[in-house]
């Protein structure tokens, strides 16, 4: 399984997977005020399809939200579909 890395900065950040210095999976977010962030894009390379990488990146976002007492607004259609399926993530939805 590919290692999911993360970057966070003042305006937002991302969870991502790199292979040979190239990003092959990425989920980005932007901060929206002090108490929430918006997942705006998810993309996973064909080479990782079927491995649950997208789901794992959403899981990392949920971990961050819970750890920092934040809410998530999933504008990205993929992230929204994960939240629709995983009712255990409802506590962090905005």
């Amino acid at each position: 399984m590919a290692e999911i890395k993360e970057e966070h900065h003042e305006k937002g950040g991302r969870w991502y997977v790199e292979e040979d210095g190239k990003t092959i999976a990425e989920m980005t977010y932007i901060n929206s005020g002090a108490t929430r962030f918006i997942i705006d894009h998810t993309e996973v390379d064909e080479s990782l399809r079927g491995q649950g990488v997208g789901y794992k990146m959403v899981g990392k976002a949920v971990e961050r939200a819970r750890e920092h007492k934040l809410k998530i607004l999933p504008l990205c259609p993929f992230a929204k579909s994960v939240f629709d399926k995983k009712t255990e993530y409802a506590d962090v939805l905005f």
Side-chain angles (χ1 to χ4, degrees), residues 28-83:
T28 59
Y29 73 92
I30 54 173
N31 291 319
S32 177
T35 60
R36 68 177 175 252
F37 61 92
I38 299 167
I39 297 174
D40 60 350
H41 180 73
T42 305
E43 190 167 343
V44 177
D45 187 79
E46 280 293 325
S47 67
L48 295 174
R49 295 278 160 96
Q51 297 181 37
V53 173
Y55 275 86
K56 287 180 175 79
M57 290 190 296
V58 172
K60 294 282 189 182
V62 170
E63 286 175 20
R64 179 172 177 79
R66 287 176 177 156
E67 181 180 328
H68 297 281
K69 296 180 177 30
L70 301 170
K71 296 291 185 180
I72 299 173
L73 178 59
L75 290 184
C76 162
F78 173 78
K80 169 108 174 63
S81 74
V82 174
F83 278 96

